[in-house]
Amino acid sequence: MPDDERVAYESQPRPADGDSLLAEREQPPTGFRQRVQTTLEIIRANPTGRIALKVIVAVVGAIVVLVGLALIPLPGPGWLLVIAGLGVWAVEYHWARRLLTFTRRNVQAWTRWATRQSWPVRLLLGAFGLVFVSVVVWLSLKLSLGIDLVAEALHYLATH
């Protein structure tokens, strides 16, 4: 070993006598995201693990998206579940990652725009949102279950 390399090698800190070999390695990742990323890299290193990961991500993402799509016309977290399913797919699929980024960017832009508006405009947006959700619930109940909430409400008002 040349003298320059020996000096550089000898100047590196060495673990104490009782330390394990892990002390010589890099420190393990500290954040949750980093741990998940490391775990995914380990799984992807094996061809079988890579295929299994793709299949599991595809199936779980599809289930979450389908449940979210089913809940969109009903009161509940429909869109949130669709976006969560897209997040699951984004673990393995680049197209889902791009779509999730696009969705996040547009939702943030819409939120920033809405918060800059005056209170009357915000109330109008909220009222429009409530009317939209009400029409979707009414149509979905009428077309899928045959229950007409407007006719039932008018009938109730007429008889009481």
Side-chain angles (χ1 to χ4, degrees):
M1 182 181 293
D3 289 335
D4 293 340
E5 289 180 29
R6 184 177 297 128
V7 170
Y9 178 75
E10 291 173 356
S11 65
Q12 293 178 353
R14 294 182 184 194
D17 293 336
D19 289 343
S20 67
L21 294 175
L22 290 176
E24 294 177 355
R25 289 185 176 179
E26 292 181 20
Q27 293 296 321
T30 56
F32 176 74
R33 284 180 178 233
Q34 193 66 20
R35 286 191 300 252
V36 169
Q37 190 65 29
T38 303
T39 303
L40 290 174
E41 287 174 6
I42 291 170
I43 292 170
R44 289 181 187 126
N46 182 340
T48 305
R50 186 171 38 251
I51 292 170
L53 182 64
K54 277 198 179 286
V55 169
I56 290 170
V57 165
V59 170
V60 170
I63 290 170
V64 174
V65 167
L66 289 175
V67 169
L69 287 174
L71 291 178
I72 285 174
L74 303 173
W79 283 111
L80 183 64
L81 285 176
V82 170
I83 292 172
L86 200 56
V88 171
W89 278 338
V91 169
E92 269 305 298
Y93 301 104
H94 186 67
W95 62 267
R97 195 173 306 121
R98 285 193 327 257
L99 186 58
L100 187 61
T101 302
F102 171 80
T103 304
R104 184 180 299 136
R105 185 174 52 239
N106 285 318
V107 167
Q108 288 172 350
W110 167 258
T111 305
R112 281 193 304 271
W113 178 83
T115 55
R116 286 192 312 261
Q117 303 308 309
S118 63
W119 279 105
V121 174
R122 286 179 171 176
L123 288 175
L124 187 64
L125 288 171
F128 178 74
L130 285 175
V131 168
F132 177 76
V133 169
S134 300
V135 168
V136 168
V137 168
W138 172 67
L139 282 174
S140 64
L141 287 175
K142 183 176 181 180
L143 297 176
S144 63
L145 300 176
I147 301 171
D148 189 357
L149 289 178
V150 174
E152 293 290 330
L154 290 176
H155 176 69
Y156 179 80
L157 289 174
T159 58
H160 287 87

